[in-house]
Amino acid sequence: MASTISLLPEKHFLCSLCRDIFTSPVTIPCGHSFCLSCLSHYWARHQSKYCPHCKRLFADRPDLSVNRILADISDNYRKARPQKPPDEEMAIDVEQLIQERLQKIERLKYSVEIQKSSYLREVRESQKVFSALVIAMEKSHKAVVTAIEERQRDEEKRVEALVKELEQEVQELRKETIEFDPQIPVSGDQGQSDDTKQDTSGTISIMSLSDMKDWSKVTIETDPCVGVTRRALSDMMDQIKVEVNRLSKSELKRTEKYTVDLNLSAKTAHPFLSVSDDRKQVRHTDKLQEVPDHPKRFDRVANVLAKESFGSGRCYWEVDVGEKIEWSLGIVKQSTNRKGKFTVCPANGFWTLSLKAGGQCIANTSPVTPLALEQKPKKVGVFLDYAEGRVSFYCVESGAHVYTFTDTFTDRLHPFFSPGRLHGGKNAAPLIICSSFCSI
């Protein structure tokens, strides 16, 4: 069997990504095969899930399971393949370098075409969104102006009616005065003596006051539009918030293609923390664990890091926080201080989000930034865009964007986890790293 396999051309056993014999090969729907690690890393670096060989694009990420038959055959070929003369190996290496660069050229060209579609889609989306907002703002402004003008007309009619009512009362008062003393002129006070004026006052005093309106209680507000524009703008802000939430859900969906598989690093865990055997869960315990001292271990605060670190590209992961009442999540610099007391903030290499025991969610800036959340997340999504210097947090259930740190990253970054204190057993549940990758 081995001698027969060794007669086959080596190209049948080579991964086109690493140009070496298959290790844990996987076969995708288009029929091409690659090393599991090669394909996983390739897809982690690219936005679209497509075959590196034929460029076939997959709508959903294919499940990657090791092709056991191909794996066995490849292992047998590795053991039985004939040794090549040094010159032939050198020639193959040069040809391999040429092929790698030609393939890279094709991938770069293909990536540019994908980018063009992405740019065009984003431009159209932005035009649609902002055009709708402009139309809505213009409509809202027109409604405000219309309401103000209607109110102005109503007030003018009211004042006009009040003036007529007052003029009517003045006429009636004058009529009463004339009936009491016909010698008093109808118009004005000219020519009246002080005694006549006093008599007129006396005439008014004997009138039935119950028939007269108490004008001291009638007022006209001279600044009737207080808060009108602000309330209209507040209504617009509510509409904008709805649109932002819609875009946030779409944004979160698009980040899922950058999902990475994370594993907790037990050697970084504070002694109060217990890390599960599968390296996916961490909980706070009520006693110190017997663990060896390590320069990378947190010794003051109950934190733990992921084994994986990132120095480029984009990556996304989700953490199940459930009903926990206290936790912290985010990223930290690889070189950050892990010993003694320190402040968790970007200046010290921490970009983290926390839920405090009182229910307040905060971004650990300096000073901290309180966050008003419509609902407490049970699952938190974390998206790192290294090149853009952004780390964003999402409520996975609602799709709402929670907070984004913006900075310049120069060091490698590790995902960060802190399950919080026990609080008498109320916060004993673990933090759980969610993974969409299949265990092989």
Side-chain angles (χ1 to χ4, degrees):
M1 174 70 177
S3 60
T4 304
I5 292 175
S6 64
L7 297 176
L8 295 174
E10 187 171 276
K11 66 180 181 179
H12 294 305
F13 307 98
L14 294 181
C15 169
S16 61
L17 293 175
C18 67
R19 304 300 299 173
D20 200 356
I21 296 175
F22 289 123
T23 301
S24 298
V26 292
T27 303
I28 54 179
C30 61
H32 293 108
S33 300
F34 308 89
C35 298
L36 173 60
S37 60
C38 292
L39 186 59
S40 296
H41 288 129
Y42 182 87
W43 279 350
R45 294 195 306 269
H46 292 75
Q47 294 185 12
S48 298
K49 297 298 180 287
Y50 58 86
C51 173
H53 187 80
C54 68
K55 301 301 186 293
R56 176 179 169 183
L57 186 65
F58 305 112
D60 298 316
R61 187 183 188 279
D63 291 334
L64 301 182
S65 299
V66 173
N67 185 331
R68 296 299 178 186
I69 296 176
L70 182 57
D72 291 342
I73 294 175
S74 298
D75 288 341
N76 288 332
Y77 181 82
R78 183 181 289 105
K79 296 173 184 177
R81 65 176 173 175
Q83 296 296 321
K84 299 177 181 179
D87 291 343
E88 184 179 351
E89 289 184 355
M90 181 62 70
I92 291 176
D93 288 343
V94 173
E95 181 62 27
Q96 177 181 330
L97 293 174
I98 293 172
Q99 290 301 318
E100 287 176 351
R101 280 150 181 76
L102 290 175
Q103 289 179 4
K104 186 64 176 181
I105 291 172
E106 292 302 315
R107 289 197 295 269
L108 288 173
K109 290 180 178 179
Y110 182 75
S111 296
V112 169
E113 293 303 315
I114 296 294
Q115 273 191 345
K116 288 180 181 178
S117 299
S118 178
Y119 289 141
L120 181 59
R121 181 178 64 249
E122 200 66 24
V123 168
R124 288 175 176 172
E125 176 70 11
S126 65
Q127 288 176 338
K128 177 182 175 182
V129 170
F130 283 98
S131 295
L133 288 176
V134 168
I135 292 172
M137 292 183 71
E138 290 176 345
K139 184 178 179 180
S140 180
H141 179 237
K142 185 177 180 180
V144 169
V145 172
T146 300
I148 291 174
E149 291 175 344
E150 288 179 354
R151 184 167 181 174
Q152 180 181 1
R153 286 193 295 269
D154 291 342
E155 285 295 302
E156 289 175 351
K157 289 179 181 178
R158 176 172 173 259
V159 170
E160 185 179 347
L162 291 174
V163 169
K164 288 181 178 180
E165 191 174 350
L166 279 167
E167 289 176 344
Q168 181 65 32
E169 287 194 5
V170 168
Q171 291 296 326
E172 290 177 357
L173 287 170
R174 286 175 174 167
K175 182 178 179 182
E176 290 286 341
T177 303
I178 293 172
E179 290 177 353
F180 181 80
D181 188 353
Q183 299 298 319
I184 298 176
V186 174
S187 60
D189 294 335
Q190 295 180 2
Q192 292 185 354
S193 64
D194 292 340
D195 292 340
T196 303
K197 290 180 182 179
Q198 290 175 0
D199 289 341
T200 303
S201 298
T203 303
I204 296 172
S205 67
I206 64 174
M207 293 179 63
S208 177
L209 297 178
S210 61
D211 294 335
M212 297 180 64
K213 190 170 185 175
D214 184 3
W215 289 97
S216 65
K217 297 181 180 180
V218 178
T219 60
I220 297 297
E221 180 55 65
T222 57
D223 194 5
C225 296
V226 174
V228 171
T229 302
R230 192 265 310 159
R231 288 193 295 272
L233 187 58
S234 179
D235 291 340
M236 274 302 306
M237 291 298 292
D238 290 339
Q239 294 183 45
I240 292 175
K241 187 175 180 180
V242 170
E243 186 63 24
V244 168
N245 287 339
R246 184 190 69 80
L247 291 172
S248 179
K249 291 179 182 179
S250 173
E251 179 181 320
L252 180 58
K253 188 68 176 176
R254 292 164 66 182
T255 65
E256 292 177 355
K257 60 176 169 281
Y258 301 107
T259 298
V260 292
D261 191 21
L262 297 182
N263 298 278
L264 296 171
S265 172
K267 65 185 179 184
T268 67
H270 185 276
F272 264 129
L273 299 183
S274 174
V275 177
S276 63
D277 291 339
D278 65 358
R279 299 294 188 263
K280 300 297 182 183
Q281 301 184 28
V282 58
R283 69 174 73 242
H284 199 292
T285 65
D286 59 354
K287 61 180 181 180
L288 292 172
Q289 311 292 307
E290 292 184 3
V291 293
D293 187 23
H294 196 283
K296 295 183 178 181
R297 188 182 303 281
F298 289 94
D299 68 352
R300 182 72 178 266
V301 187
N303 303 328
V304 63
L305 304 182
K307 179 182 69 175
E308 293 77 14
S309 64
F310 307 100
S312 62
R314 295 172 171 179
C315 49
Y316 173 78
W317 61 94
E318 294 178 356
V319 182
D320 189 344
V321 298
E323 299 295 339
K324 290 179 67 62
I325 62 174
E326 185 178 71
W327 49 260
S328 293
L329 299 169
I331 58 170
V332 301
K333 289 197 304 185
Q334 190 174 66
S335 60
T336 195
N337 176 40
R338 307 178 194 184
K339 306 296 183 182
K341 188 177 181 180
F342 50 81
T343 301
V344 176
C345 65
N348 291 332
F350 291 80
W351 295 268
T352 61
L353 191 77
S354 296
L355 178 69
K356 295 302 182 182
Q360 176 68 63
C361 190
I362 62 170
N364 290 302
T365 52
S366 184
V368 299
T369 302
L371 303 174
L373 304 183
E374 294 184 356
Q375 71 177 80
K376 188 176 77 170
K378 294 183 179 180
K379 187 180 290 185
V380 178
V382 185
F383 177 57
L384 169 65
D385 188 333
Y386 193 98
E388 293 294 325
R390 296 179 184 273
V391 56
S392 301
F393 299 84
Y394 301 86
C395 174
V396 175
E397 305 93 89
S398 66
H401 170 260
V402 177
Y403 189 79
T404 292
F405 289 92
T406 303
D407 213 322
T408 300
F409 302 135
T410 55
D411 200 352
R412 294 191 68 83
L413 303 173
H414 285 268
F416 167 93
F417 309 84
S418 177
R421 295 164 293 173
L422 282 176
H423 293 285
K426 296 179 180 178
N427 197 43
L431 289 176
I432 305 173
I433 298 174
C434 305
S435 176
S436 62
F437 283 74
C438 298
S439 297
I440 304 302

